Amino acid sequence: MAAISEQLSHVCGADQPPLLEITIGEALVRAAARWPDRPALIVPFQDVRWSWSELARRADLLAAGLLALGLRPGDRIGIWAPNCAEWTLTQFAAARAGLILVTINPAYRRAEVAYTLAKVGVRALVSAERFKSSDYVGMMEDIVPQISSSTPGALASPGLPDLRTLIKIGGEPRPGWLAFDEIAAGDAGQAARLDEIGARLDARQAINIQFTSGTTGSPKGATLTHRNILNNGYFVGLAEGLREGDRLCVPVPLYHCFGMVMANLACVTHGAAMVYPAPVFDPRATLSTIEAERCEGLYGVPTMFIAVLDCPDFDGYDLSSLRTGCMAGAPCPVELMKAVVERLHMKDVTIAYGMTETSPVSFQTSLDDPLERRVSSIGRVQPHLEVKIIDSEGHTTPRGVPGEVCTRGYSVMPGYWNDPEKTAECLDAEGWMRTGDIGVIDEAGYGNIVGRIKDMVIRGGENLFPREIEEFLHRHPKVADVQVVGVPDPRFGEELCAWIRLHPHEDANEAEIRAFCDGQIAHHKIPRHIRFVDEFPMTVTGKVQKFLIRQAMVEELGLGVEATA
């Protein structure tokens, strides 16, 4: 790449080590050959402890079983379930058979899953039977009434014409559904085809579709290749010092890039074990699993780490085995990062930043970064990637000047599935992906995220970034977490509102918070509206849904529907 002026916000990653030019299926075969007896997958709540050779054997059996159903390379296979061994088995089996894995949010309901299945033409669906309030089988039978009267594997539905096969994980037999365990037993007649298929697959072919609202509205299927996600998992693991034989605790959801790429694919390329503490995030299960399995690594979004640290019996767990891990998925408050290093013993923990459309990570801190850099930035650009910060006219900004983050390189998706118009809105002809995030790059090349373009608050003509105010309020000793949004205001256009969650057994009032801000930050940055809450509206991945906070405040303040437009 051409040299870039140090005065511009444009940085290029290292060109070493080289990219992996193999498929995910080949990576699994190599892992089984290199570390046959090392632990690969540990799921205590399912009593699963598989070595790499065992995981590869089971993945091949399932892949052969899927081929026996008539599935062919390039067909889409959906997975709709919370974290479990079957999820990961399906991920690797699909890769071995050349099937494109469509990861479906386990929190989805009828309309959402129907849209997903139709949008990308899913041919087979692997589904949990039920979990908590989600009756997955019941929802599918509502969406497709023909299921119960169909021959398993030969579904015909006018609403979902591509969907032919439904595979149920566990539970009692049900009309129209195939049992996962039966398919996972394999098919001798198809097993020999796997290596033949693998030899024809190309690392640049699509292997995964993840649905995301992205930067431009309604859900779209970000299409990712073997090369995209296998390399991203590899470089994430490299940055955090993941070692052969490490055990990585994975409480983040597998349907999301954090779980299936940054965890599973990091492990398959570094010989570490994937450890799932619970089907969905549970702070106590996470703590007890770290202790019982002597995990060296832990993943989580900031809200997960906060919940773990605030666990009432936190001090009763032996967490001394922890060394490394990753915090990503949302901006990480500096004070939280310090607590993770000190109280969780994660001296090598890294911060990562990216988006689904970039596989996901583009910036990450590294083990040789000084502590102050690792707790206060998103690190530097990852190898083989390029990032620039642009202003509203598309010009690259000077170092230190905020603008939109744009990413280019191996990790950028080819596009949204069957949606060239939406792809063109955020991915230009030169390969630059516009993220919708406002970031800044300093003179040393370290990045920071100021906020989302859509979250920026304009108060009386002043551009205010919620992230900056959140960081300041996190310094208050009573504050566990805080979210700042803009709400309509007849005088200033918008005003700041802070929702604050206090540490357990703490008490505070609005006057105390304002006094803490007074004289420390500019007057117009002090939130006009302050509310104390027990929890924030969250997605299943642990991200705060700020638009719901905004809606709740509009309703509470009686601002009316027009004011929210």
Side-chain angles (χ1 to χ4, degrees):
M1 296 176 184
I4 303 297
S5 167
E6 291 184 357
Q7 300 304 308
L8 291 178
S9 301
H10 186 161
V11 289
C12 301
D15 60 5
Q16 292 295 324
L19 289 165
L20 302 174
E21 301 292 354
I22 59 175
T23 65
I24 294 169
E26 190 174 347
L28 178 63
V29 171
R30 290 186 180 189
R34 187 175 178 186
W35 309 293
D37 301 322
R38 286 281 194 190
L41 182 62
I42 300 171
V43 190
F45 63 89
Q46 291 184 294
D47 198 26
V48 166
R49 292 179 180 276
W50 296 338
S51 65
W52 282 109
S53 60
E54 180 67 6
L55 176 59
R57 185 185 73 82
R58 287 175 178 267
D60 277 7
L61 286 172
L62 177 58
L66 294 172
L67 292 175
L69 295 174
L71 293 169
R72 295 292 177 264
D75 283 348
R76 273 76 67 203
I77 180 170
I79 175 75
W80 191 26
N83 290 9
C84 58
E86 292 87 352
W87 205 108
T88 298
L89 206 53
T90 302
Q91 178 185 3
F92 285 111
R96 283 286 283 153
L99 306 175
I100 299 174
L101 187 73
V102 181
T103 56
I104 303 173
N105 187 330
Y108 271 6
R109 292 299 186 259
R110 293 167 183 79
E112 296 159 318
V113 76
Y115 171 85
T116 300
L117 297 173
K119 178 70 176 176
V120 299
V122 168
R123 188 168 178 81
L125 175 68
V126 176
S127 172
E129 183 175 53
R130 62 172 60 246
F131 183 74
K132 293 187 175 179
S133 63
S134 295
D135 179 358
Y136 299 110
V137 168
M139 282 189 272
M140 279 305 303
E141 290 176 351
D142 284 347
I143 296 166
V144 187
Q146 297 86 357
I147 291 174
S148 60
S149 59
S150 70
T151 300
L155 177 66
S157 166
L160 293 171
D162 295 299
L163 185 62
R164 304 289 291 168
T165 302
L166 296 164
I167 302 169
K168 185 169 67 70
I169 299 171
E172 297 298 317
R174 196 151 177 137
W177 292 78
L178 296 166
F180 183 93
D181 287 346
E182 290 182 14
I183 308 304
D187 184 291
Q190 299 293 332
R193 293 188 55 213
L194 292 175
D195 288 336
E196 176 192 328
I197 289 171
R200 293 201 309 266
L201 295 177
D202 188 291
R204 295 174 186 264
Q205 290 174 328
I207 196 62
N208 179 217
I209 299 173
Q210 300 207 21
F211 273 79
T212 172
S213 58
T215 59
T216 51
S218 61
K220 300 171 291 293
T223 305
L224 302 169
T225 67
H226 297 265
R227 193 172 188 262
N228 286 152
I229 58 178
L230 186 66
N231 278 290
N232 209 256
Y234 171 66
F235 283 111
V236 166
L238 204 61
E240 66 200 25
L242 200 61
R243 305 169 186 166
E244 175 187 342
D246 277 350
R247 298 186 179 205
L248 179 62
C249 186
V250 186
V252 296
L254 293 173
Y255 91 88
H256 190 265
C257 266
F258 206 167
M260 70 159 291
V261 177
M262 295 167 66
N264 288 2
L265 297 185
C267 287
V268 78
T269 51
H270 291 280
M274 305 162 273
V275 183
Y276 306 152
V280 296
F281 174 64
D282 179 307
R284 277 199 174 87
T286 299
L287 287 165
S288 62
T289 300
I290 293 167
E291 178 181 61
E293 301 297 337
R294 307 304 296 155
C295 294
E296 288 86 0
L298 172 64
Y299 277 6
V301 299
T303 51
M304 290 179 179
F305 279 100
I306 290 169
V308 165
L309 290 164
D310 277 352
C311 226
D313 55 350
F314 175 86
D315 292 326
Y317 295 94
D318 178 2
L319 309 174
S320 59
S321 60
L322 284 175
R323 179 190 80 246
T324 190
C326 189
M327 195 184 310
C332 171
V334 171
E335 296 304 314
L336 173 60
M337 184 64 170
K338 290 178 179 176
V340 167
V341 171
E342 293 167 10
R343 298 181 61 202
L344 283 170
H345 314 291
M346 294 171 64
K347 63 181 181 63
D348 292 344
V349 68
T350 63
I351 294 289
Y353 159 78
M355 64 190 303
T356 302
E357 291 90 337
T358 60
S359 299
V361 173
S362 52
F363 273 88
Q364 191 173 1
T365 58
S366 61
L367 304 187
D368 57 2
D369 285 333
L371 183 62
E372 65 268 20
R373 288 290 194 184
R374 288 197 288 122
V375 301
S376 64
S377 78
I378 55 172
R380 289 170 288 188
V381 65
Q382 277 272 29
H384 303 282
L385 296 178
E386 190 178 359
V387 173
K388 65 179 179 179
I389 307 293
I390 62 172
D391 61 21
S392 58
E393 296 180 352
H395 302 305
T396 304
T397 68
R399 292 286 177 102
V401 176
E404 184 175 8
V405 179
C406 299
T407 303
R408 181 166 70 176
Y410 80 84
S411 72
V412 175
M413 67 172 185
Y416 295 117
W417 185 270
N418 200 26
D419 206 336
E421 290 184 10
K422 292 296 184 184
T423 300
E425 289 177 18
C426 59
L427 185 57
D428 70 20
E430 295 180 341
W432 287 105
M433 178 74 205
R434 300 187 64 154
T435 66
D437 288 319
I438 304 171
V440 62
I441 296 174
D442 68 16
E443 288 295 336
Y446 287 86
N448 233 320
I449 300 302
V450 180
R452 291 283 295 167
I453 289 175
K454 64 182 181 182
D455 288 341
M456 186 174 71
V457 177
I458 304 176
R459 181 190 183 275
E462 291 272 359
N463 291 347
L464 304 178
F465 301 113
R467 172 78 195 279
E468 176 190 358
I469 299 149
E470 290 165 355
E471 282 282 2
F472 176 76
L473 291 175
H474 263 284
R475 299 180 192 173
H476 194 293
K478 295 182 180 179
V479 173
D481 202 1
V482 57
Q483 299 294 326
V484 173
V485 302
V487 295
D489 182 79
R491 182 179 177 190
F492 291 104
E494 283 188 289
E495 272 286 10
L496 293 170
C497 169
W499 275 25
I500 295 173
R501 190 171 67 77
L502 300 173
H503 286 295
H505 313 300
E506 294 287 3
D507 188 42
N509 56 42
E510 293 184 39
E512 181 180 345
I513 299 299
R514 290 198 177 93
F516 179 74
C517 298
D518 195 34
Q520 301 296 318
I521 58 175
H523 177 72
H524 63 273
K525 294 181 182 178
I526 300 175
R528 179 178 176 187
H529 308 287
I530 297 172
R531 299 292 183 270
F532 297 95
V533 299
D534 294 327
E535 59 184 11
F536 304 123
M538 310 281 279
T539 68
V540 71
T541 59
K543 292 184 180 180
V544 177
Q545 296 175 299
K546 284 194 170 185
F547 74 95
L548 292 178
I549 296 176
R550 196 176 294 112
Q551 285 178 12
M553 290 305 299
V554 164
E555 207 170 300
E556 177 190 324
L557 298 170
L559 295 170
V561 176
E562 290 183 8
T564 67

